[in-house]
Amino acid sequence: MEQAELFGRAALKEAESLGSGHKATEQSLSTLSHALSRLGKHEEAVALGQRLVAIRSKRYGADDPATGLALHNYAQFLILQGNLAAAEKAELRALAIFQKKLGAVHLNTAVALHNMGAIYLKQEKFKEGEKYLRQALAAKEKALKPGSLSIAHTLDNLAAALAGQGRQIEAAKFKRRADGIRQRAQTQKPGV
């Protein structure tokens, strides 16, 4: 992973020589910020993510899906940094863009809904988390094939939101569905 950081820094330096608004700079910022995040360098990942949001907002507009994707990734870096309030704000902006431009059942919308639910879970705001996770589940079930592991992930988080509200029986139902998806996915893997 350290090698990815070195290559990412070199690529960004080269891309920046073409100009801060160049498409290669955008891609290099995105790649390097993800590599830094995986290395636990969250502060720098957040700074690069914020820079990418600014570049895309200027280049494509504040309500373009490319800007929404940059906001979504920026929110992810903020979550890992532990700045949940800023992550919530960025993810809400991304969600609004995706809903307006891509629709209620687009995968980007579903993922943003899921992440809003996850942010609320981390804040122990279980009722708010449940609301977003139910919407995410409905969107993912329309946007993805049945049996997608992404659906299982949302089911797990929805179970946690329900359990956090003391609704154990309902939580167990969603947890069983998630476990069933994972079991089917394991048996369908070639060579297993």
Side-chain angles (χ1 to χ4, degrees):
M1 193 50 74
E2 288 82 11
Q3 198 170 20
E5 178 186 355
L6 292 175
F7 288 137
R9 288 187 189 283
L12 179 58
K13 186 175 182 178
E14 186 176 324
E16 286 175 325
S17 71
L18 302 171
S20 65
H22 195 277
K23 186 79 173 157
T25 302
E26 285 183 49
Q27 185 59 49
S28 295
L29 281 168
S30 179
T31 301
L32 179 57
S33 61
H34 281 90
L36 292 168
S37 178
R38 285 186 204 96
L39 288 168
K41 298 181 179 183
H42 304 303
E43 192 170 312
E44 194 174 359
V46 165
L48 293 178
Q50 188 174 32
R51 188 171 155 206
L52 183 58
V53 168
I55 289 170
R56 286 193 175 167
S57 293
K58 184 177 179 180
R59 183 176 187 164
Y60 305 109
D63 66 343
D64 188 87
T67 303
L69 189 56
L71 281 162
H72 166 75
N73 290 329
Y74 174 57
Q76 289 295 104
F77 303 144
L78 289 164
I79 290 168
L80 293 170
Q81 188 185 45
N83 190 344
L84 298 178
E88 179 182 347
K89 186 177 175 182
E91 194 69 61
L92 278 171
R93 284 181 54 205
L95 175 59
I97 292 167
F98 295 148
Q99 287 175 322
K100 180 179 177 183
K101 298 291 185 169
L102 303 175
V105 296
H106 191 277
L107 185 56
N108 287 6
T109 304
V111 170
L113 286 163
H114 175 98
N115 286 351
M116 282 305 305
I119 289 167
Y120 286 128
L121 281 181
K122 287 182 179 289
Q123 296 172 331
E124 296 186 1
K125 296 178 179 177
F126 301 115
K127 192 165 185 69
E128 293 91 339
E130 177 191 355
K131 178 183 100 171
Y132 282 100
L133 290 164
R134 285 190 184 276
Q135 291 176 41
L137 179 61
K140 283 184 177 185
E141 287 177 330
K142 290 178 182 170
L144 298 170
K145 292 180 182 178
S148 165
L149 291 175
S150 182
I151 292 172
H153 187 54
T154 298
L155 287 165
D156 282 331
N157 280 2
L158 182 53
L162 294 166
Q165 297 174 69
R167 295 160 60 189
Q168 306 303 337
I169 294 171
E170 195 176 356
K173 179 181 113 181
F174 287 104
K175 183 71 175 137
R176 280 192 303 274
R177 278 186 62 199
D179 291 343
I181 289 171
R182 278 190 291 278
Q183 287 172 353
R184 284 187 295 282
Q186 282 291 347
T187 60
Q188 292 174 357
K189 284 186 179 177
V192 175

